[in-house]
Amino acid sequence: MIELKKVCSLTQEAAKFISSWRRQNKLPQTDTTETPRLLNQEKNGVILFTWDDATEHSKGSIVTHVGLYDPAVQKHQLIWTYSQRVNIVSCSINQARSLLAFTTFRKDSSSAKKKDVYTAFIAEIQVAITRVFSLNLERSYFLKVQFLYSSQISDKECHMIVMLHRESIGLYRIPLGRVGDKGVVMRDQPSTEQLTKKFYWCQWDITNQRLYYVHYQRYGKADSQQIQPFISSVQFYDEAKHDNVLDIPINFPFPQLRASPRQHYMPYPFHHGIPDMFLNMVVLTQTNGTFCVCYQLLTETPYGERTRSSSRSRKSPAHVTPSPSSLNLALSSENEEEVMEISYYICMVHHAKILHGRVSGIPFSAKHRLHFSWHSDYLMVILPGHFVHLLNVGLEFEPCHHILLHDKTLRLNSIVNQMPVTPEGSTPSPVLRQNSEEEVTVSVLSRTTEYLSHLSNTCLHAIQKDSPTDLYLFEYTRGDVWKVAVNTDTLVNIFSESTMQTTRAALLHYALLRTRDFWLIKRLFEMISNDIASAEVPGLMAEFLAGTTYSSMRRQVDRECLRLLPFTVTDTFRSQCDKSWDGVMQARVTFSALRSVKIGTRTAQDRQRHGNVGDDMWDTLRRHLQWMQINDCTRRFSNSVIHKANHQLENGFWAKSGIKDQSTSIAKTFLNTFNTRINSSRTDSPSPASMIDGSKRVRPDTVLGLAPPFLQSSLTTGVSDSIMALTKDLLSNHLNRHMRKESKSKAQSVAKEYVYCQLQQSRQLCHLLWNLRGPLLPYTDLDFLPNLLDPCTEDEYELFQLFERYYLACQDHVFPLLQGFSSYFTTLGARSLNKSLFFQYIDRGVLRLTGDFMAQVLGDLPDDSDNVTFKQQLISRLPVDLAEECYRQWNHPICQKYLAKKQVTQLLTGGVYTGASDKTMDVAQDQSVPSQTRGADNISVSSTHDSMFFSPLVSFLQLLEKLDVAQRLKSDGKVPFQRSPLDVHFLEDVALHHTRTETNYDLSTVNF
């Protein structure tokens, strides 16, 4: 999934420049020229590097050169040549490129122990005769220099930070003066200001001009004082104005760094802090207020003691004193039993939580160093060749759906290249061609990336002109620059091969909310449809509904509303693990609380003290922490609230009139669709232009194509209508409780839009599922509903199973269903299931007898004995008024017998026929002759049948007509439209048919 694309090799490009520079200056070839060493990258993207070489003025002696590479113009240049050969370990150039600060390292030969010495200098590099000034700083601990950058270049003063490890951090204000047209020099001694005293770790954020450092504070009473490590932050502005903005206690295991005569620094290029060999720590931030402190618990201490591991091997490698060459990644032993556990901590200040990750089964080596960097708003933890963790820890979402990928848990033989095993300390085989101009791409989990173990935690920026905002990883053993990319083909393979449900759900969540690539989403659902019976399928569909609804709302509402809307159906701040194919635990992620966060209360405008300045990252972070403290555990709208309210509605806690109105609405919907379908041809499908709700613009589905006929209507089921209204009311109340007073006016419109997005995403998921199997069916382009007599195919049965999981997901998470889906779903059930199982689905409410489906049943199935029984069983499950409407349209002798018997029973018992609606009454009246227009004394059935009549029946019908007239006169016109209209012709036909078909007697022998 995560791949590294080789962009360039900064070391090789610098070496090419040096070779060209030597040819231009006609320098003789020599073996003493060293490979260029990369030192630093400034805020504007320029890269400083150094090399040792002879010059035409040095008379053959080797001196140190400093070069500059500007990625914006892709040009190298020599900016300064020192008069002697020194080992530069830290370097920085000011914004005007007039001063160069650098730190040299040497061994003190006069000392018996050959003590390390770090010395700081400043060189004037813009004048003809350069001068070098010493800062009078010589220390045995690392010394780093760094110039500050402002919004505008100043030729009067520049500012520099000097970091003396374990001693202090100082701010230098350097006055400048102009000499000639272009020359700028130091015109006076710099003034100094102490920013902090003793510190143990620091990091300079070149992009945002921030300083982070770790220091210890004492707390408690005098007789029982304890020390606590804190990480603090200083924000710098123009003219070196600064403010202490943050103090965080370190609540994870942090080493007690005591003074030691041994030095443990490594010459890491582009390291924007103190390059401590035994401390892997980095601060990662984003402009939206995300603030993470990343820390790896290393397996070795500065005193040569190895930390205990829960997965220690039987045999430990011999301890070797660390050296720069020994830090190359190589397995400490070929014994596969020798494994270790790697632990890391992510302090999420914006969530006030600490994430603890533990990875086991890693081949033992004390040199494993993790790389931490951003990938979009995921925090990426990489150990090349072994694992990559994408942690969903951004400010917008509560932590969940972490993607934990390991080389041992994935069967990726097609994309993982095996790297030949090399002896301890030797250079790996050059699997990646070093001099190739082609773009090299490798998977992070492949064996070929093990030699990329030394990825710098300091990400480069502005390396390529076409994508200046991207971040690039630097591998400092070879000088290569790598860009992180996502291979969607590999993502689909991982989704298919992974056995962990949490990993599959996390990958789908990533595709839904990060990539928004619907082609990728469709491919993932193709994998899901290959195992429809899996218990995780409804959950993945629910994740689609929640994720796509949130994504749709993200484009329409502001951040304040978004943080109140659900984005997933999974519990947040929940532990997560990853296991191998044989069930062995590979990784585990847990959470704990961050006890306190001390953040400055002044706004950005107050801190910068000038102009109309907008909010910065610290303002956003402070407001977010305050909002979290006020709205703890009740922030996002939950579906459980809707379930609870709906349960109260069903149990009568709400107005009963609402239930009655709902039943009436369902009956009207049934009758409207039933009468529409019964009077039209089965092949006529609704027009898309006329059926889609015109109040909203629906974006064309370029991936799925035109929706099938049953999804082209925007009508929803009666139950869904009530659920949507309930959701809108509850969400509106939730927004009013948690939004600011000035924003509450838009709560109703946001709730209305959210419910509409729910409906659209429910329709989209249904369309996606139909697209997986529907195009394989023979009736997709013609029929609204399939013919019930056509044979059922395997694809149709799988489509029914997919729709069943879709129905469950919508029911569990309160999403609306389209009316056309209910009809199509029931039709698929009738075609796919045996009849007993089909009736169980109906009785449990999964399948609904809609008007469209009943019209299809009455129109498609012939009236043989089995189908008559089937129709009767279906109609008997409908309410009485809807069943009688189906009986009238069926026109079967059984139906006529029932209706005639009911009319006679009403008249003889004095009952009142209670129809379901006026529509039912109108239909019945159209089919009969209004008997109330006839007089009671001149009724003559024989008038309509000439001279053919059956005397006993005629006498009985005359009696019924008299009773009907008497009851209507007695009612005095109070309820004339609720009484059954008497149709004597209908009763006569039914009686004669019954006598002829169901009587075994020879009526010709009967004496009447």
Side-chain angles (χ1 to χ4, degrees):
M1 174 182 172
I2 300 296
E3 293 185 343
L4 299 179
K5 292 185 177 181
K6 184 178 177 181
V7 175
C8 61
S9 176
L10 295 178
T11 302
Q12 291 183 12
E13 291 179 358
K16 292 179 181 179
F17 162 74
I18 295 173
S19 299
S20 175
W21 174 80
R22 289 179 57 84
R23 289 194 299 269
Q24 291 178 2
N25 291 274
K26 299 180 180 180
L27 296 178
Q29 294 294 332
T30 176
D31 297 333
T32 59
T33 302
E34 292 185 355
T35 303
R37 293 184 296 110
L38 305 173
L39 297 174
N40 192 19
Q41 184 180 33
E42 301 290 357
K43 182 179 179 179
N44 56 8
V46 298
I47 295 174
L48 299 174
F49 59 95
T50 181
W51 77 97
D52 296 335
D53 199 354
T55 65
E56 55 183 353
H57 304 292
S58 63
K59 299 180 181 180
S61 60
I62 303 299
V63 295
T64 298
H65 302 70
V66 178
L68 182 144
Y69 170 64
D70 191 348
V73 296
Q74 296 186 351
K75 181 181 179 181
H76 295 78
Q77 60 177 323
L78 173 66
I79 59 173
W80 182 65
T81 302
Y82 201 17
S83 58
Q84 53 185 310
R85 184 176 187 175
V86 293
N87 182 13
I88 299 179
V89 294
S90 175
C91 185
S92 181
I93 189 171
N94 69 338
Q95 197 167 1
R97 300 186 183 180
S98 58
L99 299 181
L100 182 72
F102 60 95
T103 301
T104 63
F105 167 76
R106 62 182 174 85
K107 291 283 188 179
D108 187 3
S109 58
S110 62
S111 173
K113 297 182 179 180
K114 294 186 178 180
K115 190 176 181 180
D116 296 341
V117 178
Y118 294 87
T119 311
F121 301 90
I122 293 181
E124 300 172 344
I125 62 174
Q126 226 177 44
V127 292
I129 302 176
T130 62
R131 296 183 298 176
V132 179
F133 300 92
S134 173
L135 296 183
N136 296 321
L137 296 175
E138 284 194 0
R139 299 291 187 273
S140 60
Y141 292 108
F142 195 86
L143 193 158
K144 181 175 177 61
V145 291
Q146 176 64 55
F147 278 105
L148 302 182
Y149 279 55
S150 302
S151 58
Q152 295 181 351
I153 299 177
S154 174
D155 59 353
K156 296 182 179 180
E157 188 179 53
C158 66
H159 310 88
M160 181 179 67
I161 296 178
V162 177
M163 308 167 212
L164 303 174
H165 192 208
R166 298 177 180 265
E167 184 175 336
S168 66
I169 299 178
L171 173 63
Y172 280 59
R173 301 180 184 271
I174 306 173
L176 302 177
R178 183 170 292 279
V179 177
D181 295 335
K182 297 182 179 179
V184 176
V185 297
M186 295 173 56
R187 61 179 174 84
D188 201 352
Q189 290 287 335
S191 61
T192 61
E193 175 187 352
Q194 189 178 63
L195 298 176
T196 183
K197 295 182 179 180
K198 195 172 184 179
F199 73 98
Y200 297 88
W201 170 91
C202 70
Q203 174 187 331
W204 172 250
D205 187 342
I206 59 171
T207 305
N208 301 297
Q209 298 289 284
R210 300 189 191 116
L211 176 66
Y212 312 109
Y213 61 92
V214 172
H215 59 103
Y216 284 88
Q217 294 183 5
R218 296 182 180 275
Y219 65 95
K221 297 181 180 180
D223 55 345
S224 61
Q225 279 192 345
Q226 296 182 358
I227 59 173
Q228 168 76 43
F230 277 77
I231 181 168
S232 300
S233 177
V234 180
Q235 177 69 62
F236 289 87
Y237 310 101
D238 290 347
E239 301 177 0
K241 296 177 182 178
H242 57 276
D243 194 17
N244 296 323
V245 290
L246 190 69
D247 282 309
I248 312 165
I250 297 180
N251 295 332
F252 47 79
F254 194 79
Q256 297 288 337
L257 301 178
R258 300 185 298 273
S260 171
R262 297 179 56 189
Q263 308 304 312
H264 312 286
Y265 303 119
M266 285 296 297
Y268 296 144
F270 302 120
H271 197 289
H272 291 159
I274 304 300
D276 195 331
M277 181 190 301
F278 297 101
L279 194 60
N280 186 13
M281 186 173 178
V282 64
V283 174
L284 299 177
T285 63
Q286 292 186 329
T287 56
N288 65 350
T290 303
F291 191 103
C292 291
V293 181
C294 310
Y295 171 75
Q296 178 191 1
L297 185 63
L298 295 177
T299 58
E300 278 196 9
T301 68
Y303 309 100
E305 299 173 357
R306 185 180 303 152
T307 58
R308 299 182 63 183
S309 174
S310 59
S311 55
R312 279 299 313 276
S313 62
R314 296 183 241 169
K315 178 182 177 182
S316 298
H319 176 70
V320 180
T321 302
S323 62
S325 61
S326 66
L327 286 184
N328 292 327
L329 177 64
L331 298 181
S332 57
S333 173
E334 296 182 5
N335 186 2
E336 294 183 356
E337 297 179 356
E338 223 171 319
V339 295
M340 63 180 294
E341 180 180 271
I342 292 181
S343 292
Y344 63 86
Y345 296 86
I346 310 295
C347 179
M348 303 171 290
V349 179
H350 51 285
H351 289 309
K353 298 288 184 180
I354 298 176
L355 181 149
H356 180 202
R358 291 177 293 176
V359 183
S360 57
I362 302 298
F364 186 85
S365 174
K367 291 86 178 176
H368 286 319
R369 293 181 71 91
L370 300 181
H371 167 78
F372 303 95
S373 65
W374 289 117
H375 175 63
S376 182
D377 58 347
Y378 277 81
L379 198 153
M380 185 166 56
V381 184
I382 298 179
L383 183 62
H386 297 285
F387 71 86
V388 55
H389 290 179
L390 293 177
L391 306 176
N392 187 13
V393 297
L395 181 137
E396 184 178 0
F397 306 108
E398 290 79 16
C400 65
H401 290 305
H402 310 296
I403 303 176
L404 311 178
L405 304 179
H406 300 82
D407 60 331
K408 295 182 180 180
T409 58
L410 302 176
R411 297 176 179 177
L412 302 176
N413 297 327
S414 60
I415 61 173
V416 175
N417 300 318
Q418 296 299 326
M419 184 176 181
V421 179
T422 57
E424 174 71 22
S426 63
T427 303
S429 300
V431 179
L432 304 180
R433 293 168 292 179
Q434 293 297 308
N435 298 321
S436 175
E437 298 296 333
E438 300 179 359
E439 187 179 60
V440 179
T441 302
V442 293
S443 171
V444 174
L445 296 180
S446 68
R447 286 288 183 179
T448 58
T449 59
E450 283 192 349
Y451 83 96
L452 299 177
S453 62
H454 295 121
L455 289 174
S456 173
N457 278 326
T458 302
C459 295
L460 305 180
H461 63 280
I463 295 297
Q464 291 183 314
K465 293 190 297 183
D466 55 346
S467 54
T469 58
D470 291 346
L471 297 179
Y472 301 87
L473 310 184
F474 180 73
E475 203 283 318
Y476 49 79
T477 58
R478 298 179 182 236
D480 296 335
V481 178
W482 299 83
K483 183 179 178 180
V484 178
V486 177
N487 189 321
T488 56
D489 293 334
T490 309
L491 189 150
V492 174
N493 291 337
I494 294 175
F495 186 87
S496 175
E497 295 291 340
S498 177
T499 58
M500 298 295 297
Q501 296 184 8
T502 53
T503 301
R504 292 160 63 90
L507 291 172
L508 179 61
H509 178 82
Y510 174 85
L512 292 171
L513 290 178
R514 274 31 175 233
T515 66
R516 288 179 289 219
D517 181 359
F518 211 87
W519 289 108
L520 173 61
I521 296 172
K522 181 181 177 181
R523 294 177 63 187
L524 296 182
F525 270 88
E526 288 175 352
M527 298 296 104
I528 294 173
S529 66
N530 292 334
D531 187 14
I532 305 175
S534 174
E536 65 177 321
V537 172
L540 295 176
M541 293 183 181
E543 190 64 39
F544 176 95
L545 294 173
T548 53
T549 301
Y550 181 88
S551 181
S552 298
M553 292 296 295
R554 180 192 277 174
R555 298 189 293 267
Q556 304 179 51
V557 299
D558 56 17
R559 185 182 301 175
E560 183 183 9
C561 295
L562 278 177
R563 62 186 180 184
L564 296 172
L565 301 178
F567 67 94
T568 182
V569 297
T570 303
D571 295 335
T572 57
F573 295 107
R574 186 177 181 179
S575 300
Q576 186 174 328
C577 64
D578 184 75
K579 297 182 180 180
S580 61
W581 286 87
D582 53 358
V584 177
M585 183 73 70
Q586 292 290 314
R588 186 174 183 85
V589 173
T590 57
F591 294 91
S592 59
L594 180 62
R595 292 181 297 183
S596 64
V597 176
K598 182 180 178 182
I599 187 170
T601 58
R602 295 196 300 168
T603 64
Q605 186 169 352
D606 295 335
R607 283 184 266 114
Q608 299 188 39
R609 305 180 185 90
H610 66 83
N612 187 13
V613 180
D615 294 344
D616 60 1
M617 188 206 79
W618 305 111
D619 295 331
T620 305
L621 176 59
R622 183 184 64 256
R623 286 197 303 267
H624 180 75
L625 291 173
Q626 292 173 348
W627 185 80
M628 285 179 55
Q629 188 176 11
I630 297 173
N631 301 281
D632 188 26
C633 300
T634 59
R635 295 190 290 271
R636 295 196 183 269
F637 184 66
S638 175
N639 290 329
S640 61
V641 179
I642 308 176
H643 281 295
K644 182 178 179 180
N646 191 44
H647 180 72
Q648 293 177 350
L649 177 65
E650 293 174 350
N651 287 274
F653 286 94
W654 286 32
K656 294 184 178 180
S657 59
I659 302 177
K660 182 178 180 181
D661 293 341
Q662 178 182 339
S663 301
T664 304
S665 175
I666 294 174
K668 288 183 178 180
T669 302
F670 179 92
L671 292 173
N672 289 334
T673 57
F674 178 77
N675 290 314
T676 300
R677 294 292 300 153
I678 204 72
N679 295 324
S680 62
S681 172
R682 182 176 60 84
T683 58
D684 292 339
S685 60
S687 172
S690 61
M691 297 304 294
I692 295 179
D693 187 4
S695 62
K696 297 287 183 180
R697 290 185 59 187
V698 180
R699 187 181 61 181
D701 294 327
T702 57
V703 177
L704 303 178
L706 182 65
F710 71 91
L711 287 180
Q712 292 176 1
S713 172
S714 60
L715 298 177
T716 57
T717 62
V719 176
S720 295
D721 287 337
S722 62
I723 290 296
M724 291 172 66
L726 183 61
T727 302
K728 184 172 67 174
D729 293 339
L730 294 174
L731 178 57
S732 178
N733 295 335
H734 181 81
L735 295 175
N736 283 325
R737 284 197 304 270
H738 298 285
M739 293 175 66
R740 293 177 298 174
K741 185 177 181 180
E742 57 270 19
S743 303
K744 291 182 179 180
S745 58
K746 57 185 178 182
Q748 285 285 348
S749 59
V750 171
K752 182 178 179 180
E753 188 64 31
Y754 179 79
V755 171
Y756 173 76
C757 287
Q758 278 190 318
L759 176 60
Q760 292 304 308
Q761 299 312 316
S762 176
R763 177 186 179 275
Q764 189 177 69
L765 177 57
C766 185
H767 189 187
L768 171 62
L769 298 178
W770 180 87
N771 196 265
L772 299 177
R773 295 293 186 271
L776 304 176
L777 306 180
Y779 49 79
T780 55
D781 297 330
L782 299 177
D783 304 323
F784 182 76
L785 296 178
N787 195 317
L788 296 176
L789 293 178
D790 293 339
C792 179
T793 63
E794 182 178 353
D795 292 323
E796 193 170 15
Y797 179 65
E798 292 181 356
L799 180 60
F800 172 77
Q801 290 182 308
L802 286 173
F803 277 174
E804 182 180 9
R805 273 68 178 174
Y806 162 71
Y807 170 83
L808 292 176
C810 290
Q811 289 295 108
D812 291 343
H813 299 280
V814 204
F815 271 74
L817 294 170
L818 290 174
Q819 180 180 322
F821 164 77
S822 296
S823 301
Y824 193 85
F825 185 36
T826 306
T827 305
L828 288 181
R831 290 170 51 80
S832 305
L833 305 174
N834 61 62
K835 291 183 179 179
S836 61
L837 185 58
F838 174 68
F839 286 125
Q840 291 183 32
Y841 273 72
I842 294 176
D843 295 338
R844 299 300 185 272
V846 178
L847 301 179
R848 300 182 182 275
L849 300 179
T850 64
D852 288 323
F853 172 72
M854 291 307 300
Q856 194 82 358
V857 169
L858 299 180
D860 286 351
L861 300 182
D863 288 339
D864 53 30
S865 58
D866 292 338
N867 288 331
V868 167
T869 303
F870 179 69
K871 292 178 182 180
Q872 282 185 295
Q873 290 178 327
L874 290 178
I875 295 175
S876 65
R877 285 170 166 80
L878 292 171
V880 175
D881 49 354
L882 303 183
E884 290 180 356
E885 182 64 25
C886 291
Y887 267 6
R888 290 188 182 90
Q889 299 296 342
W890 187 7
N891 199 25
H892 189 270
I894 296 178
C895 306
Q896 295 175 350
K897 176 182 176 182
Y898 169 82
L899 296 175
K901 182 178 179 181
K902 182 163 186 175
Q903 285 194 20
V904 173
T905 303
Q906 285 180 335
L907 289 172
L908 294 180
T909 61
V912 177
Y913 176 67
T914 57
S917 63
D918 294 340
K919 178 68 177 176
T920 304
M921 296 298 299
D922 295 339
V923 173
Q925 288 177 359
D926 292 340
Q927 295 175 348
S928 62
V929 178
S931 58
Q932 60 267 29
T933 61
R934 303 177 186 176
D937 296 330
N938 59 355
I939 298 177
S940 177
V941 178
S942 61
S943 63
T944 60
H945 290 264
D946 297 332
S947 59
M948 298 177 58
F949 60 91
F950 183 46
S951 298
L953 181 59
V954 171
S955 300
F956 179 67
L957 292 178
Q958 288 177 352
L959 175 62
L960 294 180
E961 285 187 320
K962 291 179 181 180
L963 291 173
D964 178 65
V965 173
Q967 291 181 8
R968 290 180 182 276
L969 293 176
K970 185 177 180 180
S971 67
D972 198 18
K974 294 180 180 179
V975 285
F977 295 102
Q978 293 184 3
R979 198 170 293 279
S980 174
L982 184 64
D983 188 351
V984 294
H985 301 302
F986 172 70
L987 294 178
E988 181 182 7
D989 293 340
V990 172
L992 291 175
H993 177 80
H994 181 271
T995 303
R996 183 172 63 253
T997 58
E998 298 189 19
T999 303
N1000 296 326
Y1001 297 102
D1002 186 2
L1003 297 181
S1004 63
T1005 61
V1006 177
N1007 185 5
F1008 292 101

